[in-house]
Amino acid sequence: MTYLEIVNKNKELKSALSLKDYGIAVLSNIIVNQSKEILEYHCRKQDVNASVSFGDYDNIVQDSGKFNSSTLVIVFWELCNLIDGLQYKANILSDEELNLIIAKTKSEIDFVLENLRSTPLVIFNKFSSLIFNHLQLRENNFDKVCDELNDYVKKKKSPHIFIADIDKVIARNGVSKSIDMRYYFSSKALYSVEFFKTYSEYILPVILSVNGKTKKALILDCDNTLWKGIIGEDGPEGIKMSGKSKEGVCFEYMQSIALDLNKQGVLLGLNSKNNPDDVNAVLTNHPDQKIKEEHLAIKKVNWQDKVSNLKAIANDLNIGADSFVMVDDSDFETNFIKENLPTVSVLQVPEKIYDYPFQLIAASQYFFNMHSTAEDAKKTAMYKEQSARENEKAGFTNVEDYLKSLELVVTISEDHVPHITRNAQLTQKTNQFNLTTKRYTEAEITKFIGSDDFKIFDFSLADKFGDYGITGISIVVLDKKNKFAVIDTFLMSCRVIGRNVEMAFMNHIMNKLKESGIETVLSSFIKTLKNDQVKDFYDRYGFENVASADQRKDYKLFLNNFQEINLPYIKVNLI
C-alpha cells in the first residue's frame, strides 16, 4: 500500500472502531512524523485503537517526563544525532571528547528510564551504526559508541522495556530502501515510509501481546506439512523430515521451530485427514520425527473435515478458535478454513519449500509474549493432565462427587512480588472468565503492589493429577478512609473453570476486605465477545445491580450481607 492509501484506510478504521484509545507517545531526536498513520493503521487492523502523539524534536529527556502516563512510549534515539554529524565526527574526535558524549548520553538514558519507570510499556530502539557504516570493513569509533550505549541500555532496562533491534528492520528492506539521506540532511527525517511500514510490523506483536491478542496454539496438518510425503502412500520409510536429504531438511527445520514455540508455552496439535495408526506409528517410531506424542496437547487425526476438527479442538482445549494458527499444504483446506472459520490464522505451506521455515519463523510472532513463566513451560503437560481429569469425570454422575475426588488445593497469596510476571500475563491472555478484561503490564502490576491503594490477590490450584499453576487474579482498589473497595479485575484461567475455585477465592477476598475495615464493595461486569459466561457472576454472590447499559453492569455489595459459600472439598492454603 502507498502512504496515501494507508492514511485513507487508517481514517476508515478509526471511524469504525469504538474501542478505547490505546495511547502511544513517540519520543525522538530525529523527525519521525510519518510513522503516525502507519503505526495506527497496523494496530487498528488488529482491533487495537492506537492513537499516536509525538514529543518535541530532540527533546527526549524532558518529554519522557511529559509523556510517561502514556500506555506505550516508543523511543527513537538516533546515534547520528547525539551531536550533529556524529556519524562522521566520531572518527576525528579525541577519546576525551567521545567519552564525554558517551557519559552525557548515559546520564540522559538514566533520566529517561527513571521517568518512564511507571509507564506500562516502553519500546526502546537500539542505537544503530548500520546505516552509516555498512560499507565500512573495519570497526570505527561510531561503532564503538553504538556498542557501549547498547550494552548500557541492556544493563539498565526493566522488565516493562522491550529493546527493538533497528538493524533487523533495516535488514528486511535493505539500507537503500530504509533511509532517505536527502531528507535527513535537509530536515533530519532519516527513515523512509518503507522503513516505518516494516518497523510497525516488527513491533506489532509486542503491542498485541499486552492487549490480549496473542495466539495460543499451533495446529499442524501432517502430510507435506509435518513431513515431506504422504504416509498412506509412501509409507514410513518414504516420508522425509531430516537434514540427511535436501527435501527433508526444511521439515526438520520447521519441526525444530515448532518445538521451540512449544517450550515457550505454545500448544501444539494435529489436524489431519489420515489413518490414526499410521500417524501414531510415525510419532512413536520414526527416528527422524522430532515432534512426539509428548509434545502434543491434542490430536484430531481422522477423516472429518478440518473445520469440524478445529471446532472440536477449540472445545476440548477450551480456548477460542481465534487463538489458533493452522498450517496446511492444501489450497482447498486452507481456503475452506478461511471461509468457515475466519478468526483462525491460516498458513499454507509455500510451493518453494525452502521458504517454509522462514514462513513459520515469521508466523511465530503471532505467539509473542514479553516474558515466559513457569506455567508456560508446563502448559502441554497441564493439558494432558486435564485430559486425564476428563476421563475420570466420565465415571461420575454427580459433579460434587467428582470435585471431591480431585482433592483440590487452592493456594492464595496477596501482593506477592514473585508472581508479578504471571499476574500481568493473566490479565493479558485471559478472555473468557474475565469480568472487566483490563490488560496490565508488569510495570503496572508492580506499581499496584507498591501502593496502599491497591490489593492484588492471586491463587494457584493443584489436585491429585497435577499443579495448574497460578490461574486466577483479582485487583482491588481500596478507599479505606471511606470504607469501600472496587473490584477492578477478577479473572480466572479457562483451564480451571467448573471446579468452583472462584467461590473459594471470592470467600477469601471478601473476608480479607471485611477484616481491613471495608464496608462496601463495588464491582462491574464489562461485556466482550468472549466473556458472556460470567455475565451473572456478581448476581450469584448477592451483589445488587445498581446500573446497567448495553455493555456494562455495575454492582454494589454491603459486606455485612455477604454469605460465604461452603466448599468442604476445597482446601485453602495461604502464603
Side-chain angles (χ1 to χ4, degrees), residues 313-417:
I313 290 171
N315 182 69
D316 291 350
L317 296 180
N318 198 20
I319 58 178
D322 60 347
S323 297
F324 296 159
V325 176
M326 174 76 203
V327 186
D328 202 295
D329 66 301
S330 164
D331 281 336
F332 171 80
E333 299 291 2
T334 55
N335 288 328
F336 183 62
I337 295 168
K338 288 176 183 176
E339 289 173 5
N340 291 278
L341 281 177
T343 59
V344 175
S345 296
V346 183
L347 300 179
Q348 185 172 348
V349 179
E351 289 185 16
K352 297 175 181 177
I353 204 63
Y354 49 77
D355 288 333
Y356 188 22
F358 298 97
Q359 179 196 58
L360 196 59
I361 289 171
S364 68
Q365 302 310 308
Y366 285 118
F367 304 102
F368 177 85
N369 274 317
M370 279 284 285
H371 304 285
S372 295
T373 64
E375 285 77 9
D376 292 329
K378 299 185 294 183
K379 194 165 288 184
T380 298
M382 289 177 179
Y383 274 91
K384 288 183 178 292
E385 290 165 2
Q386 180 59 19
S387 179
R389 292 182 187 98
E390 291 301 317
N391 289 336
E392 178 159 316
K393 184 178 179 181
F396 287 86
T397 56
N398 182 285
V399 172
E400 189 159 311
D401 288 341
Y402 166 65
L403 294 177
K404 289 177 183 176
S405 77
L406 288 177
E407 302 170 17
L408 295 163
V409 179
V410 175
T411 302
I412 300 174
S413 68
E414 299 176 24
D415 295 334
H416 199 45
V417 172

Side-chain angles (χ1 to χ4, degrees), residues 13 19 41-48 204 208 213 366:
L13 289 171
L19 302 168
Y41 166 71
H42 280 90
C43 290
R44 287 170 177 163
K45 273 203 310 180
Q46 300 295 330
D47 292 330
V48 176
L204 184 62
L208 295 181
K213 296 185 178 296
Y366 285 118

Side-chain angles (χ1 to χ4, degrees), residues 7 39 45 87 121 127 132 215 239 245 247 254 274 285 322 359 391 423 508 529 571:
V7 169
L39 181 54
K45 273 203 310 180
Q87 71 273 17
L121 177 63
F127 294 97
F132 298 99
K215 302 291 186 179
I239 60 174
S245 73
E247 292 178 305
M254 168 266 162
N274 236 312
N285 301 319
D322 60 347
Q359 179 196 58
N391 289 336
N423 289 167
H508 175 82
L529 293 175
K571 180 181 178 181

